[in-house]
Every structure is written in structure tokens, then in C-alpha cells.
């Protein structure tokens, strides 16, 4: 049985991925997570007793610890989800983004090189390609042109991954996915933030004119695509992942309000995000044709399920939106 080191497995996508892999394969999973503000052990309570799962608290920037762990657990492959992931936080302060996203990835690559790891999958993002005008989509050959400290740190990590493959032959793969939504997403991100504010009858803060476009994919479809890339992707390659579902932000916000039976007067247009990318759109032809992947969920179905999940799991998010989250919310939405 192969053993995969999943980093950042207590975050949104990582926890969904671990659950998905335990259900749909027979791999063993070792989860390494620092438990930053975004990491939450409650995201995986239902599987913590699973005999194919083990958790370690630790930092991917800690070379000695990662080295020890990979050796001790006899890890075969690494899938790196661990990151600082929120664009707005990277605008307030970028240091942690460079540390975890760049230095942390470098540590993992070094350990992979020294331990002859069989496959190294880097979970990147469509944001490394920058911003699109009204037409066209990102393909795997679109030049990297990141615009935020977050996306610049992710693009830097991608370049290191490429260099470690080219120079040392580390067997790497990179995935670049569009915006995810689904259960366990931290409420700083658009969809959970709007659901939670609507449920709490608080203003829904829309940046700029609300016409920035994002391309949305249900998290389980993303997890399924990552597993396909992990198992069948060609070493050294990049795979875009997306579900052809572009929507202006304001449309998403109105849909959430409608679904919850709340009034559109809750919408508040607020100061724009500096350097706000206008549009993202993913061309996923390569993964569809080469790896026979396609999304299983329609947006109409999955957004309803997501809204219902937040309605049914109030205690999960109520615990989160106290403390650190309140400080961040105040700093970003009220003091800027
Ligand atoms: P998240 O912020 O919800 O989770 C990140 C996790 O990484 C947390 O559990 C955190 O504790 C952990 N972590 C942070 N720094 C660490 C460190 N130094 N060492 C060990 N663990 C650390 O993020 P997410 O939304 O689940 O994103 C996961 C990955 O997917 C990221 O690499 C992100 O760039 C990428 N991605 C996200 C999206 C999206 O829409 N959310 C889209 C495309 C790509
Ligand atoms: O309060 C808000 N108001 C608002 O109008 C927030 C939080 C966001 N927005 C807008 C900004 C974006 O146009 O909604 C859009 C989506 O914002 P985020 O949820 O912050 O996502 P985005 O910046 O697009 O980045 C996401 O997708 C790519 C993830 O956070 C990244 O980790 C991933 O790489």
C-alpha cells in the first residue's frame, strides 16, 4: 500500500482531498499541518480514527522535521496543499506567504530529492497566470504573470518545482485550479463569507463594481482531478483544472441571498481589493483529453448543497468567526 504525505490537510481543499482519497482508493495518508488560523482538526473528525490515516502537527519550512517524518513514515509520494491562501491577507502582510509558499515548497522539494520520492504533486492555482480581459482562457502555456503577493509566491513555488524536475529529475507534477467552493471552506473566502453574513443578517461586502469574474469548481471535482493527476499524470507536466463555470461576483452574491430568502438590500459595495484581477477562466482541455477527467457536479446543484452545509453546520463556523477572524475582519473591512 502506497503512503502519501499530504501537507496542509487540515485546510479546506486538503481535508476534502484526504476524505476523498480514503473513500476512493487504498492509499495510506500522513497529514502534516501547522494548524495556522486556517487549519482546523474539526475538518477531519470523522476520519481521525481511520487506520489508513495519521496526523502530525508541523511546519513544512522545518527541514529537519520534514526529513525525519518522510524517513520515519517511509513516505512514497508528496502532495503539497500547505499554503497561505488568502489574497487579501497577502495584501495586508506578505511575509508568511513567502515563507510558507516559497521556502516551504523548497524544503519539500529538497526532501523529495534526497528520499527518491516517487511522485511530487504541487497544488498551484490559476492566479499564477494573472488577469484576463473579456475573452480567452488560461492554458498550461499561458505565461506566468502573477499580480498579488499571494499569486507571486505561488508562481515562485511553481518555478522551483519546475527547476527541481529539470535539474535533479524530481518526479513533479503541477496542478492549477480555478476557484473552489464547498464544505469546510474558511469564511474569509467569497462564498462562505457571503453565506455566513447573510445568515447573520450582516452586510455583504462586494468589492468594486461586483463584475470581477471567477471560474467556480466544486471542491470534490477538484479532489477527483488531483487524484487523477497523481495516478496518471505525465511527470514534469502542468495540468489546468476547471469546470467551465464563469460568474461575476455579484451574480453569486445575489444567488446566495435568493437561496436563503434574504433581501438584496444586504449587499454593500465596499472599497476594491488593490490590484484586483478582473477575470479568471480555465481551459481544462488537457486534463480532459489526456486523463479522461471531467467534473461530475453542476454549479446549480453543488452551490445549493454548499449553502445547505453552512446552514446545517453553524457550530463549525461560529467557532471560527470569533477571535483571530474578528481581528482580521476589522482590519480589512473596517479600517482600510
Ligand atoms: P487553506 O488556507 O484553507 O488551508 C491551508 C492549510 O495549510 C491549513 O490547514 C494550514 O494550517 C496549512 N499550513 C499553512 N502554512 C503551513 C506550514 N507552514 N506548514 C504546514 N501547514 C501549513 O487553503 P485551501 O483553500 O485549502 O488551499 C489549499 C491549496 O490549494 C493552496 O496551496 C492554494 O494555493 C491552492 N488553491 C486553492 C484554491 C481555492 O479556491 N481555495 C484554488 C486553487 C488552488
Ligand atoms: O469580501 C469579499 N468581497 C468580494 O467582492 C471577498 C472575500 C471577495 N470578493 C471578491 C474578490 C474576488 O473577485 O470575490 C472574488 C473571490 O474572492 P476570494 O474568495 O478571496 O478568492 P480569489 O481572490 O479569487 O482567490 C481564490 O481562488 C484562487 C483562493 O482564495 C485562492 O487561494 C486560489 O488560489
Amino acid at each position: 500500500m502506497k503512503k502519501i504525505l499530504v501537507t496542509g490537510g487540515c485546510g479546506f481543499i486538503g481535508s476534502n482531498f484526504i476524505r476523498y482519497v480514503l473513500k476512493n482508493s487504498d492509499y495510506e495518508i500522513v497529514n502534516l499541518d501547522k494548524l495556522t488560523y486556517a487549519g482546523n482538526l474539526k475538518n477531519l473528525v470523522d476520519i481521525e480514527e481511520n487506520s489508513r490515516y495519521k496526523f502530525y502537527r508541523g511546519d513544512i519550512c522545518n527541514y529537519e522535521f520534514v526529513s525525519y517524518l518522510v524517513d520515519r513514515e517511509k513516505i512514497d509520494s508528496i502532495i503539497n496543499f500547505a499554503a497561505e491562501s488568502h489574497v487579501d491577507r497577502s495584501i495586508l502582510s506578505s511575509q508568511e506567504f513567502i515563507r510558507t509558499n516559497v521556502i516551504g515548497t523548497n524544503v519539500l522539494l529538497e526532501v523529495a530529492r534526497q528520499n527518491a520520492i516517487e511522485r511530487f504533486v504541487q497544488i498551484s492555482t490559476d492566479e499564477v497566470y494573472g488577469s484576463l480581459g473579456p475573452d480567452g482562457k488560461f492554458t498550461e502555456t499561458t505565461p506566468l504573470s502573477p499580480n498579488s503577493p499571494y499569486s507571486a509566491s505561488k508562481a515562485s513555488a511553481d518555478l522551483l518545482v519546475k527547476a527541481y524536475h529539470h535539474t535533479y529529475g524530481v518526479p513533479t507534477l503541477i496542478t492549477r485550479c480555478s476557484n473552489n467552493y464547498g464544505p469546510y471552506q474558511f469564511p474569509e473566502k467569497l462564498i462562505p463569507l457571503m453565506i455566513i453574513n447573510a445568515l447573520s443578517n450582516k452586510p455583504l461586502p462586494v468589492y468594486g463594481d461586483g463584475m470581477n469574474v471567477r471560474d467556480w469548481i466544486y471542491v470534490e471535482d477538484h479532489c477527483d482531478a488531483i487524484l487523477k493527476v497523481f495516478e496518471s499524470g505525465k511527470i514534469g507536466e502542468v495540468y489546468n483544472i476547471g469546470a467551465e463555470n464563469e460568474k461575476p461576483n455579484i451574480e453569486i452574491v445575489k444567488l446566495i441571498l435568493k437561496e436563503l430568502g434574504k433581501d438584496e438590500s444586504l449587499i454593500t459595495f465596499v472599497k476594491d481589493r488593490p490590484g484586483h484581477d478582473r477575470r479568471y477562466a480555465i481551459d481544462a482541455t488537457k486534463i480532459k483529453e489526456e486523463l479522461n477527467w471531467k467534473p461530475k457536479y453542476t454549479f446549480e446543484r453543488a452551490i445549493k448543497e454548499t449553502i445547505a452545509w453552512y446552514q446545517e453546520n453553524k457550530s463549525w463556523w461560529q467557532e471560527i468567526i470569533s477571535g483571530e477572524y474578528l481581528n482580521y475582519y476589522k482590519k480589512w473591512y473596517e479600517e482600510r
Side-chain angles (χ1 to χ4, degrees), residues 199-219:
L199 285 171
S200 320
N201 295 311
K202 277 178 57 183
L204 273 53
V206 175
Y207 300 160
D209 61 2
M211 290 307 289
N212 295 66
V213 172
R214 295 294 181 265
D215 188 356
W216 295 95
I217 183 172
Y218 189 54
V219 65

Side-chain angles (χ1 to χ4, degrees), residues 30 137 202 251 262:
V30 173
K137 292 184 177 200
K202 277 178 57 183
E251 206 179 294
K262 301 280 179 172

Side-chain angles (χ1 to χ4, degrees), residues 184-190 192-194 196-197 310 316-317 320-321 325 329 333:
Y184 303 102
Q185 185 166 33
F186 195 85
E188 66 195 352
K189 306 289 182 357
L190 179 78
L193 185 139
M194 297 299 169
I196 286 167
N197 281 20
Y310 282 89
W316 178 86
W317 55 262
I320 292 171
I321 60 167
Y325 181 82
Y329 202 91
Y333 290 97

Side-chain angles (χ1 to χ4, degrees), residues 18-251:
I18 291 174
R19 189 173 289 104
Y20 188 80
V21 167
L22 291 175
K23 195 169 159 206
N24 295 289
S25 75
D26 54 12
Y27 298 118
E28 287 184 49
I29 302 281
V30 173
N31 173 13
L32 169 63
D33 198 296
K34 186 179 173 186
L35 297 180
T36 66
Y37 78 91
N40 187 348
L41 286 174
K42 299 223 164 110
N43 294 359
L44 286 168
V45 269
D46 51 325
I47 58 103
E48 67 190 6
E49 301 297 332
N50 190 307
S51 58
R52 286 158 51 217
Y53 173 75
K54 208 175 206 181
F55 172 68
Y56 285 85
R57 185 172 193 180
D59 190 333
I60 61 164
C61 302
N62 184 339
Y63 171 80
E64 282 73 27
F65 183 66
V66 177
S67 238
Y68 156 82
L69 182 61
V70 165
D71 180 51
R72 178 194 156 117
E73 288 290 346
K74 304 200 173 11
I75 297 294
D76 300 296
S77 296
I78 298 176
I79 306 184
N80 180 27
F81 291 87
E84 287 295 331
S85 69
H86 193 39
V87 174
D88 297 334
R89 288 186 191 249
S90 83
I91 293 168
L92 287 173
S93 172
S94 62
Q95 246 181 326
E96 273 308 294
F97 287 74
I98 305 307
R99 210 184 78 84
T100 288
N101 302 1
V102 185
I103 298 172
T105 302
N106 189 59
V107 165
L108 294 172
L109 286 164
E110 246 331 287
V111 173
R113 173 168 92 90
Q114 286 161 10
N115 289 271
I117 286 297
E118 288 169 18
R119 285 172 101 75
F120 183 104
V121 183
Q122 172 69 4
I123 308 302
S124 183
T125 167
D126 61 356
E127 299 199 16
V128 297
Y129 296 122
S131 184
L132 289 166
D135 303 312
K137 292 184 177 200
F138 299 129
T139 71
E140 289 80 358
T141 55
T142 302
L144 301 189
S145 183
N147 289 317
S148 70
Y150 163 70
S151 53
S153 70
K154 293 295 287 185
S156 307
D158 284 14
L159 294 179
L160 281 168
V161 172
K162 183 172 176 285
Y164 267 70
H165 173 64
H166 187 83
T167 309
Y168 306 112
V170 175
T172 63
L173 294 135
I174 296 177
T175 61
R176 295 189 181 133
C177 189
S178 58
N179 285 59
N180 284 224
Y181 65 98
Y184 303 102
Q185 185 166 33
F186 195 85
E188 66 195 352
K189 306 289 182 357
L190 179 78
I191 288 181
L193 185 139
M194 297 299 169
I195 297 171
I196 286 167
N197 281 20
L199 285 171
S200 320
N201 295 311
K202 277 178 57 183
L204 273 53
V206 175
Y207 300 160
D209 61 2
M211 290 307 289
N212 295 66
V213 172
R214 295 294 181 265
D215 188 356
W216 295 95
I217 183 172
Y218 189 54
V219 65
E220 195 178 311
D221 280 328
H222 184 195
C223 294
D224 180 48
I226 294 168
L227 189 57
K228 276 244 155 69
V229 170
F230 173 72
E231 292 184 326
S232 321
K234 201 167 147 228
I235 294 298
E237 296 284 310
V238 175
Y239 292 90
N240 280 355
I241 302 168
E244 282 181 77
N245 185 52
E246 287 181 56
K247 303 248 182 271
N249 296 333
I250 191 72
E251 206 179 294

